[in-house]
């Protein structure tokens, strides 16, 4: 998928720098390797970090081809984002705890 076919290299470079910084922030704040759901957030941070690094290092490189695999990866990333949002903002997080009378 040629996302940046109409963009110049500096715009792609800026996008890569922003993606790299966001991925680095996630990895620095949340680098947990457990067999539970937090590992999805850690992996997302690492993918953002390396994706941003790739765009900064090679802004004129070819992007992913427009095929079923690319769309499957994008659908999986969307699903992971939805799952993480549901976990983070679900009712268990928003419930108000009464202070204990100790």
């Amino acid at each position: 998928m040629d996302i940046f076919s109409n963009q110049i290299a500096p715009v792609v470079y800026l996008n890569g720098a922003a993606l790299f910084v966001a991925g680095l922030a996630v990895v620095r704040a949340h680098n947990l390797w457990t067999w539970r759901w937090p590992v999805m957030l850690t992996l997302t941070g690492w993918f953002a970090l390396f994706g941003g690094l790739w765009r900064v290092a090679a802004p004129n490189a070819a992007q992913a081809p427009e095929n079923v695999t690319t769309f499957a990866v994008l659908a999986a990333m969307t699903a992971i984002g939805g799952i993480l949002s549901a976990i983070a903002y679900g009712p268990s997080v928003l419930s108000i705890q009464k202070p204990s009378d100790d």
Side-chain angles (χ1 to χ4, degrees):
M1 185 179 326
D2 200 11
I3 298 171
F4 298 106
S5 64
N6 297 328
Q7 299 295 331
I8 57 176
V11 173
V12 179
Y13 179 82
L14 179 63
N15 177 269
L19 191 61
F20 178 81
V21 170
L24 184 62
V26 170
V27 168
R28 292 284 298 147
H30 197 280
N31 197 9
L32 300 175
W33 293 99
T34 62
W35 288 105
R36 296 183 6 221
W37 70 267
V39 77
M40 287 191 302
L41 187 59
T42 302
L43 287 173
T44 302
W46 280 105
F47 282 127
L49 185 102
F50 287 122
L53 184 62
W54 175 252
R55 286 189 180 163
V56 168
N60 289 325
Q63 299 296 318
E66 191 170 340
N67 59 19
V68 175
T69 305
T70 301
F71 290 117
V73 169
L74 291 174
M77 290 171 53
T78 302
I80 289 171
I83 291 168
L84 290 175
S85 295
I87 290 171
Y89 300 112
S92 63
V93 174
L94 298 177
S95 64
I96 298 173
Q97 302 279 334
K98 291 184 178 180
S100 62
D101 295 330
D102 289 335

